[in-house]
Amino acid sequence: MSRYIATRAIRGANALVMEAEVMLDKAMQDKGPDTPVAFPNTAYYLPTIFGMTGTAVEKLGQLEPVLQHARSLLHPVPAPHHWTPYLGETLDSGMATLLAAETIEAVRFVYGLQPEPMPGFELAGGTSFTSPDMGTNGNGNGAGHSHGADKVGSAVTDGHLNGPIDDIQLRSWGIQLVDGRMPGFAAIVGCAKSNEVAVKLVRELQRRNILTFLSGNVNGRSIIHQLAEEGVELGYDTYTVPFGTDTLSAIYALGFATRSALTFGGLKAGQSREILLYNKERVFAFVLALGEVDDLKYAAAAGAINFGFPVIADTVIPEILPTGVTRYEHVVSMPFNEIDGKDDLEKAERLVQKCIEVRGVKVKVANVPVPVPYGSAFEGEVVRKADMRVEFGGKYSRAFEYLRMANLEEVVDGKIEVVGPKFADQPAQGHMDMGIVIDVAGRQMQKDFEPVLERQVHYFVNGASGIQHIGQRDIAWIRISNAAAEKGFDLEHFGKILHARFHADFGAIVDKVQVTIYTDPDQFKAWLDKARDAYDYRNRRLADLTDDKVDEFYSCTLCQSFAPNHVCIVSPERLGLCGAYNWLDCKASFSINPTGPNQPIKLMKPIDIKKGYWEGTNGYAENGSHGVVQEVAMYSIMENPMTACGCFECIVMLIPEANGVMVVSREDTSMTPAGMTFSTLAGIAGGGLQTPGVMGVGKYYLISPKFIYSDGGFKRVVWMSSFLKESMSDELKVVAEREGDPDLIGKICDERGATTVEELLAWMEEHNHPALMMDPMF
């Protein structure tokens, strides 16, 4: 253990705890101890404090004992002439730093100083972010924000940076965290050597699909400023989230890590040791410190090391190379100017490689031959009309995608052909029809896999920077940005992307891939008709694929990397709770990887068909959950419901007084008749817990004939988030017809009609909801 690091970390922790005490004391005088305090849109209060201490802070006064605990963790700096083992004292001081940092950020929220505005913006009342009454800005030296841009792409709302990540976003990233598409996260603190290096670092992380959090500065200049000046789009959609330009905002990254353990791991607040070990073993994160490291950054780094997250610096600092608290090295110094590379960009790439090596992040990078950056980090990128070169589909043109199985001798692997004109002659912001036909062949390929592979086109095409893809089948909508076109992206590159990705991701069943792109009007029309015939055939095939027509379901244990005791059982009529995997997806996955997370479950002898019990499913539930779950009823919410990890799209919950259930969407932040928001309810539904009356589900399970079939089915739904009613209106109309009540959806309340049980009951009486006449649910 380095005495130098210990000295600076302990000194920084002592200073920050004192600053937090001063700020809290002033806030108590100004606002009063009963003033509400919270981070927005989270059920985990102040998450690091909540996870580490078990304290659910809701008022300013509750922060006093938190800081008392933080002070108890502090130690004097090591003596200069006598060696003592001070690793424990340094880690304690690191934890004190995190508690103090989150306290300061909470106080800033009370004053309206969070999320942090970008330089040049003022908050309401003319208060600037670096208010002299609120201490330093987190540099450790009180330096103000002296240099920056006016905005940071989509990350700024009304002139503000991101601030803490809300629960909705955490859960929406859940499936990507567990299935390997998002292998880990990086917390970058400080300022890069140059703007070009800053962009290269982020692009290398994006290329590897690593979620990146940005914070901190060096002498008032932050990597956030650098990226803004280069026009890099920041925000959730690009996996690059700017927390703030001071070091303290890095606490949001540790809060994210804490909530990961609480959300997906089934751990409880106050289980600090378990939460830290969970992160060490399951959350692959690291800290990249850019530029000068001051006392506060050393202290914050000690806090991160508690979580098992190593620190890599691009400057000369002492190292801590033995393993123990982290999987490999604790602190690594890799001075940027000493990195072996022909230029700064190559050095930046090697710095990222070193970070990945030290944390042990497992990265899969597909080699896609396109002239733009490529990776899952670009999947949510939006191409606005002003930035658009050309579009296919949407309001003014048509686009479709059609993947079909062919014989091996009929497919020329790697052949990419464009039939018709390219977009070079189109005016700026023009539009044209385009059809993408993908022929695949393979000895293990099956006809049933066609729609599974075809749905991947959305993800594969969206991975290209500057390309936006929405929809599927014959409602696809694709845009190419000016920036992508200027770099040479053309229609052939759609084919190159699909050829590379289908081989990389589905190589076990796909031996050959050929892509033809049709823009010729006559050919487009002919192939669109063929595609629609295929879509109709598949729809009829899927409609006939019911639970009673198969003799095996499939397991899905992807989420066990985060929720060790949770098991998902996927049937033709019940897709996975994340919404990402249906029965055919799992069947294809098993063919691709026979030892992977999707294994066939032989149903064997039925025990209770109405409730959904089979010997095979019960046996798997017990084995897969390590004995935690003994039985699972596939079609009931009241008796042994299926468990959930935390990736679910919706929560279904019993409302006893209404003799029915409510369905809350992940996107819904409003209050529900249960007296809880989605984020609070998720703590009951997730973590691999089996709770009768509560269930996390994929939203399309709601329209299945087997939706809580043994409890009365869809007619039991008495309240549903308006987001679901509107986004699934066509599908829900079909369900209402199936249930024999065409007006049923109008009888279901939402947050606009009721947020209490009393209001809900009044609504049901007024609209004559059928649940009022049904048998009691229990």
Side-chain angles (χ1 to χ4, degrees):
M1 175 66 195
S2 165
R3 187 176 66 191
Y4 179 86
I5 290 178
T7 298
R8 299 204 63 180
I10 293 172
R11 190 166 65 200
N14 276 273
L16 192 69
V17 170
M18 180 179 295
E19 180 178 335
E21 290 169 337
V22 171
M23 290 179 65
L24 179 60
D25 183 64
K26 184 180 188 305
M28 295 273 281
Q29 294 178 37
D30 290 349
K31 306 291 186 178
D34 293 329
T35 300
V37 59
F39 287 169
N41 299 326
T42 179
Y44 298 105
Y45 308 95
L46 305 180
T48 307
I49 292 172
F50 186 52
M52 294 299 106
T53 71
T55 302
V57 174
E58 298 180 89
K59 298 179 180 180
L60 267 178
Q62 293 174 287
L63 286 168
E64 285 189 309
V66 172
L67 288 184
Q68 290 171 5
H69 177 58
R71 180 156 289 283
S72 73
L73 294 173
L74 296 176
H75 297 270
V77 297
H81 303 298
H82 300 285
W83 182 91
T84 56
Y86 28 69
L87 174 60
E89 285 84 348
T90 304
L91 294 175
D92 283 349
S93 297
M95 186 56 65
T97 301
L98 302 185
L99 301 179
E102 196 162 70
T103 296
I104 291 173
E105 296 297 67
V107 171
R108 287 174 169 174
F109 265 104
V110 170
Y111 280 92
L113 302 177
Q114 280 288 305
E116 175 195 336
M118 284 297 292
F121 288 93
E122 286 194 345
L123 301 176
T127 305
S128 67
F129 174 64
T130 52
S131 169
D133 292 332
M134 298 308 297
T136 76
N137 70 349
N139 292 332
N141 57 13
H145 303 300
S146 61
H147 192 120
D150 289 334
K151 65 174 186 171
V152 187
S154 65
V156 174
T157 302
D158 297 329
H160 290 78
L161 295 183
N162 194 84
I165 292 171
D166 63 33
D167 287 353
I168 296 172
Q169 189 60 49
L170 170 67
R171 292 179 188 280
S172 70
W173 277 333
I175 189 63
Q176 298 173 61
L177 286 166
V178 303
D179 70 5
R181 279 182 289 159
M182 185 187 287
F185 76 79
I188 300 182
V189 182
C191 181
K193 178 183 178 182
S194 66
N195 286 16
E196 292 73 22
V197 169
V199 173
K200 181 63 173 178
L201 290 171
V202 166
R203 292 303 188 213
E204 287 299 310
L205 292 166
Q206 287 178 319
R207 189 168 71 87
R208 294 165 171 83
N209 307 325
I210 293 174
L211 181 61
T212 303
F213 300 139
L214 308 172
S215 59
N217 68 76
V218 177
N219 296 323
R221 184 157 171 76
S222 171
I223 187 173
I224 296 172
H225 301 140
Q226 296 177 301
L227 296 173
E229 291 162 4
E230 297 304 313
V232 175
E233 187 173 4
L234 307 181
Y236 290 155
D237 291 344
T238 59
Y239 286 19
T240 309
V241 183
F243 284 147
T245 59
D246 65 356
T247 302
L248 292 184
S249 60
I251 186 61
Y252 299 140
L254 280 307
F256 178 86
T258 301
R259 283 186 291 157
S260 295
L262 297 173
T263 301
F264 303 113
L267 299 177
K268 302 299 181 184
Q271 292 183 289
S272 55
R273 183 176 185 274
E274 290 80 3
I275 291 170
L276 297 177
L277 288 174
Y278 179 95
N279 275 276
K280 175 184 177 180
E281 298 299 329
R282 299 178 184 275
V283 179
F284 292 89
F286 56 84
V287 177
L288 175 55
L290 301 177
E292 178 188 358
V293 181
D294 56 30
D295 286 357
L296 178 56
K297 289 176 183 175
Y298 275 110
I305 290 171
N306 274 286
F307 283 76
F309 303 161
V311 178
I312 299 90
D314 73 341
T315 54
V316 178
I317 65 171
E319 295 185 310
I320 306 175
L321 300 182
T323 61
V325 182
T326 57
R327 175 170 291 188
Y328 301 117
E329 297 87 351
H330 296 79
V331 179
V332 173
S333 173
M334 195 172 183
F336 194 84
N337 291 332
E338 298 177 16
I339 298 174
D340 184 19
K342 64 182 180 181
D343 55 30
D344 283 353
L345 298 186
E346 185 174 319
K347 291 179 180 181
E349 181 176 358
R350 295 193 177 186
L351 179 59
V352 170
Q353 292 172 354
K354 184 65 174 181
C355 293
I356 291 170
E357 170 197 330
V358 171
R359 184 58 182 103
V361 183
K362 302 302 180 185
V363 176
K364 294 185 294 184
V365 180
N367 183 22
V368 180
V370 291
V372 295
Y374 188 89
S376 295
F378 301 105
E379 283 180 9
E381 190 176 9
V382 175
V383 176
R384 295 171 177 82
K385 188 171 183 179
D387 302 322
M388 182 185 79
R389 172 63 184 88
V390 67
E391 70 178 344
F392 313 91
K395 186 176 180 180
Y396 302 106
S397 57
R398 297 172 296 172
F400 72 88
E401 299 151 356
Y402 173 36
L403 183 144
R404 60 178 186 164
M405 176 180 170
N407 295 325
L408 283 164
E409 59 272 15
E410 296 173 340
V411 178
V412 178
D413 186 47
K415 181 180 179 182
I416 299 166
E417 184 179 7
V418 178
V419 179
K422 299 183 180 181
F423 62 78
D425 296 331
Q426 290 292 320
Q429 300 178 7
H431 51 84
M432 58 192 298
D433 293 341
M434 180 177 70
I436 301 176
V437 178
I438 306 123
D439 292 313
V440 298
R443 289 179 174 82
Q444 302 302 317
M445 181 65 187
Q446 299 179 30
K447 191 76 173 174
D448 280 345
F449 295 165
E450 286 181 345
V452 176
L453 271 61
E454 189 177 274
R455 283 202 305 275
Q456 306 308 309
V457 173
H458 170 75
Y459 301 104
F460 293 168
V461 170
N462 255 338
S465 177
I467 310 300
Q468 173 185 300
H469 184 289
I470 298 173
Q472 59 180 323
R473 288 189 169 185
D474 57 351
I475 57 170
W477 182 15
I478 306 172
R479 282 182 168 180
I480 299 176
S481 71
N482 287 319
E486 289 168 2
K487 291 178 181 177
F489 193 96
D490 207 341
L491 298 184
E492 289 92 342
H493 291 110
F494 289 124
K496 292 182 178 180
I497 290 170
L498 297 174
H499 176 262
R501 289 300 304 273
F502 277 120
H503 273 295
D505 291 38
F506 295 92
I509 58 174
V510 172
D511 297 326
K512 293 182 176 181
V513 181
Q514 175 178 314
V515 181
T516 308
I517 297 167
Y518 293 98
T519 59
D520 175 82
D522 293 336
Q523 291 284 345
F524 174 88
K525 177 64 170 62
W527 278 98
L528 177 58
D529 291 340
K530 293 179 183 179
R532 285 174 172 167
D533 288 341
Y535 303 152
D536 290 340
Y537 170 80
R538 293 174 189 169
N539 290 341
R540 293 192 301 271
R541 170 82 175 96
L542 289 173
D544 293 337
L545 191 62
T546 56
D547 288 2
D548 59 355
K549 298 287 181 62
V550 300
D551 60 3
E552 62 186 20
F553 294 166
Y554 282 90
S555 69
C556 186
T557 57
L558 272 172
C559 294
Q560 283 200 344
S561 59
F562 274 71
N565 297 322
H566 162 63
V567 293
C568 225
I569 299 175
V570 180
S571 75
E573 294 182 271
R574 182 167 186 173
L575 81 169
L577 59 91
C578 64
Y581 290 84
N582 64 27
W583 187 83
L584 283 176
D585 293 323
C586 293
K587 182 180 179 183
S589 173
F590 176 68
S591 296
I592 295 165
N593 183 6
T595 61
N598 304 121
Q599 296 292 311
I601 303 171
K602 294 295 182 182
L603 297 182
M604 298 192 289
K605 183 179 178 181
I607 299 172
D608 188 328
I609 293 294
K610 183 177 181 180
K611 294 180 179 178
Y613 286 114
W614 288 266
E615 287 182 351
T617 54
N618 282 346
Y620 172 74
E622 184 174 4
N623 291 333
S625 69
H626 312 108
V628 173
V629 176
Q630 303 297 316
E631 297 177 299
V632 166
M634 292 290 291
Y635 312 139
S636 176
I637 189 175
M638 298 305 298
E639 182 179 311
N640 297 319
M642 194 180 300
T643 62
C645 55
C647 304
F648 37 76
E649 294 182 299
C650 313
I651 295 173
V652 184
M653 185 174 185
L654 172 71
I655 305 293
E657 299 89 339
N659 197 34
V661 300
M662 69 174 186
V663 183
V664 191
S665 166
R666 183 168 63 197
E667 291 79 8
D668 187 353
T669 60
S670 63
M671 184 54 65
T672 70
M676 294 176 277
T677 63
F678 178 93
S679 292
T680 305
L681 290 167
I684 303 171
L689 304 176
Q690 194 173 53
T691 307
V694 185
M695 190 165 62
V697 301
K699 64 183 180 183
Y700 283 102
Y701 177 49
L702 302 176
I703 64 176
S704 168
K706 288 296 194 289
F707 172 68
I708 59 172
Y709 175 73
S710 70
D711 303 315
F714 190 83
K715 285 185 177 180
R716 290 290 188 185
V717 178
V718 298
W719 190 99
M720 178 186 288
S721 296
S722 61
F723 174 84
L724 292 173
K725 293 173 71 174
E726 293 167 1
S727 63
M728 299 178 64
S729 59
D730 292 341
E731 294 90 343
L732 293 174
K733 287 177 185 176
V734 174
V735 174
E737 294 283 351
R738 185 190 71 210
E739 295 293 319
D741 187 349
D743 300 322
L744 178 58
I745 307 307
K747 298 175 182 179
I748 298 173
C749 192
D750 58 39
E751 72 277 6
R752 297 167 295 191
T755 56
T756 67
V757 170
E758 292 75 19
E759 292 172 346
L760 175 59
L761 293 175
W763 171 283
M764 292 174 65
E765 290 283 355
E766 181 182 349
H767 293 80
N768 193 28
H769 194 288
L772 294 172
M773 285 76 75
M774 297 174 73
D775 292 336
M777 287 192 72
F778 64 99

